Structures are given as structure tokens and as C-alpha cells.
Amino acid sequence: MTGGFEGSGLVKRYRRGAETVSALAGVDLQVDAGEFVALVGPSGSGKSTLLALLCGWETADEGILSYHGALADRRPDTLGWPELALVPQALGLVADLNLGDNVLLPARLRGTLATEEPRARDLLADFGLDHLVDRYPAQASLGEQQRVAVARALLLRPAVLLADEPTAHQDRGHADRLLDAVTDAARAGSAVLIATHDELAWARADRVLSMRDGHLTDGAPS
Ligand SMILES: Nc1ncnc2c1ncn2[C@@H]1O[C@H](COP(=O)(O)OP(=O)(O)OP(=O)(O)O)[C@@H](O)[C@H]1O
Ligand SMILES: [Mg+2]
């Protein structure tokens, strides 16, 4: 399944009492199927907000968001794991499932557990997690939990992969392993957008977009 996505004039404001935070101030972007795009920018600039709109967790106050190809005419909040997979900044693992079952969760929801088990095993091995499958998230390090969240997102080869600072808790070796997998996903046809402070991730991406105060521009920050 392939499908890129496009946003135009995206505005998102958060209101807290009398205060209004303009988290996105009119953002245009397009990510095509097969592309790996890095989203960079200082803390608080709006990266996670943009990902929240793209995955349907939040609704834009203004602007139009659309998906292409096999996902055309779908609203983001109707997309499931095979179509749009997310690695949230806070990871979002299920505390009551062991790490192996967390990775397999998208397959369980789709009813394809048996078919996807070999791929889950490969991803777990690739990310150095094969000895930890029986542990629960609370019994694993933050970096290990983050690699589980990335493996879960990659499991069904989603048309759209959104990841929020997926290497934030990794050493260089594990970060490179994750970036290899993300790059492979794009080469296999996924539209990939990752928010990242990792300069080596920017170097691996096909394109870099910079966010500053809710505005998005092409290229790495100067
Ligand atoms: N639910 C919310 N209510 C009010 N303000 C919010 C909310 N979520 C985010 N914000 C504000 O919106 C702005 C953008 O936040 P966002 O989380 O998108 O930044 P970010 O670029 O992802 O930062 P980081 O690199 O620290 O993850 C910030 O000023 C933040 O304080
Ligand atoms: Mg963020």
C-alpha cells in the first residue's frame, strides 16, 4: 500500500485561559510515498503538534490535510496501523503486554498474528531486543522501550510512518540501526516523516524541513 500526504495552511492554536499558543502558524508540506523526510527545530517549535494533526490525534483550526494514493479521501482518524503508524514521543507502549506482544499489537488488531510473527522476530533481533520479549515495559530501559515502539510501527510496513524523535534515547549504534530500518521503510514505499534533533538523521533523510515558532521552511536550520 502506498500513499503520501499533503498539508496546506495548517494552523493549530492551543488555548490556556487567556493565553493562546500558536503552535502551527500556517504550515504547508508534502511527503511522497517512498520519501524519508526529517523534521527539525527547537523544542516547542511545533514538531509534535504537526505529527498530532497528521495522525488524527488533533484537528487543525485551519487548513487542509489530505492523503494520496491508496489513502486518498481518508480522514487521518480513520487510518489504522497498516495505513498510518506512529512512534509517539511518549512511546505509548501497553503496560500490560510484554515487549514481544507490544510489537505484535498491530497484527493482533488486524487478525494476522501468525503471518506477522516472523517479521516481528526479525525486527526484535535487528533492534537487539530478542532476549527481552518476555519483559514488560516497566522492566525495560527507556531506549529499549523506544526500539519496541519503532518495531511496532514498522511491523505492518505502513503506507505512512510518523515518528517523533525515535532515536532520542539511543546510543549511536542503536540509533543507526533504527535509522537503517526507517530508511528501508521509505525505500519500500512508505512516506516517512520523523521529527528529530539527531543531526545524523538529517544527513540520512532525502529532505529536511525546519520548524521554527510554528513556521515550516525547506532545508536544515542555518
Ligand atoms: N496541549 C497543549 N496545550 C497548550 N499548549 C500546548 C499543548 N501542546 C503543545 N503546546 C505548545 O505548543 C507549542 C509546540 O509544542 P510541540 O509539542 O509541538 O513542540 P515540539 O517542537 O514537538 O517540541 P520538543 O522538541 O520539545 O518535543 C509549545 O509552545 C507547547 O508548549
Ligand atoms: Mg515534540
Side-chain angles (χ1 to χ4, degrees), residues 84-104:
L84 184 148
L86 176 72
V87 182
Q89 194 160 13
L91 305 181
L93 298 185
V94 179
D96 293 337
L97 295 180
N98 68 30
L99 300 186
D101 287 339
N102 263 284
V103 172
L104 279 165

Side-chain angles (χ1 to χ4, degrees), residues 1 81-83 85 116 119 153-160 185 188 190:
M1 178 184 290
W81 284 103
E83 292 136 358
E116 305 296 349
R119 175 157 168 81
L154 290 169
L155 183 72
L156 300 184
R157 307 178 194 278
V160 175
S190 298

Side-chain angles (χ1 to χ4, degrees), residues 23-221:
L24 296 180
V27 161
D28 301 322
L29 87 163
Q30 177 168 348
V31 178
D32 292 328
E35 252 196 319
F36 169 11
V37 177
L39 174 63
V40 313
S43 176
S45 59
K47 303 180 300 296
S48 295
T49 303
L50 178 59
L51 296 183
L53 294 190
L54 294 173
C55 76
W57 278 358
E58 301 272 9
T59 310
D61 294 309
E62 294 172 33
I64 295 171
L65 173 62
S66 52
Y67 292 88
H68 300 154
L71 308 185
D73 301 326
R74 299 280 298 275
R75 284 200 334 257
D77 59 336
T78 68
L79 302 176
W81 284 103
E83 292 136 358
L84 184 148
L86 176 72
V87 182
Q89 194 160 13
L91 305 181
L93 298 185
V94 179
D96 293 337
L97 295 180
N98 68 30
L99 300 186
D101 287 339
N102 263 284
V103 172
L104 279 165
L105 183 65
R108 185 177 289 280
L109 295 172
R110 194 167 66 154
T112 55
L113 199 54
T115 331
E116 305 296 349
E117 255 171 350
R119 175 157 168 81
R121 262 200 304 278
D122 287 350
L123 285 165
L124 285 159
D126 247 23
F127 293 170
L129 296 165
D130 35 0
H131 59 301
L132 300 176
V133 287
D134 295 330
R135 296 230 201 136
Y136 288 84
Q139 301 168 328
S141 76
L142 194 51
E144 290 160 352
Q145 292 177 52
Q146 185 172 47
R147 300 204 294 283
V148 169
V150 177
R152 177 181 61 181
L154 290 169
L155 183 72
L156 300 184
R157 307 178 194 278
V160 175
L161 173 66
L162 305 174
D164 204 343
E165 306 196 19
T167 61
H169 306 297
Q170 306 301 322
D171 58 70
R172 192 66 258 156
H174 283 111
D176 285 340
R177 211 94 51 87
L178 293 179
L179 290 171
D180 285 345
V182 165
T183 308
D184 287 349
R187 296 296 87 92
S190 298
V192 176
L193 180 65
I194 69 169
T196 179
H197 293 291
D198 179 354
E199 296 203 13
L200 291 181
W202 314 356
R204 303 276 303 261
D206 298 315
R207 271 192 302 134
V208 177
L209 300 173
S210 294
M211 186 75 87
R212 187 157 205 108
D213 295 334
H215 295 275
L216 195 62
T217 51
D218 289 335

